[in-house]
Amino acid sequence: ANWTLHLGNFLKLNYDVAVDKNFSQGTIDVLLRNAHENLIDEIAKHVTISSVLQGEALAIRLACHVA
């Protein structure tokens, strides 16, 4: 996905998950940027998961905690 510049004092929250299905593990990453694309905060967390969908759900939950 590409960064989209917003006018004003907006923050953009992105999340993603990378999954290693062979080991039921993944990494979730949450990025918080301001309207000028400056990184405000980032959190990466290793998780044990059973599916990509579960990883996405955990990433969304972590993003909500950051927000």
Side-chain angles (χ1 to χ4, degrees):
N2 293 328
W3 174 260
T4 303
L5 179 65
H6 296 279
L7 300 176
N9 294 322
F10 291 94
L11 296 175
K12 184 171 183 179
L13 191 63
N14 293 98
Y15 65 88
D16 200 5
V17 61
V19 179
D20 184 344
K21 290 184 180 182
N22 294 328
F23 297 103
S24 299
Q25 296 179 351
T27 302
I28 54 178
D29 194 28
V30 176
L31 300 170
L32 181 64
R33 295 181 184 269
N34 65 16
H36 301 287
E37 198 175 340
N38 298 320
L39 185 63
I40 303 299
D41 198 5
E42 176 185 16
I43 298 175
K45 184 176 181 181
H46 294 285
V47 292
T48 301
I49 55 176
S50 58
S51 70
V52 173
L53 183 60
Q54 182 185 18
E56 289 286 342
L58 290 173
I60 291 169
R61 185 171 77 176
L62 182 59
C64 289
H65 286 284
V66 170

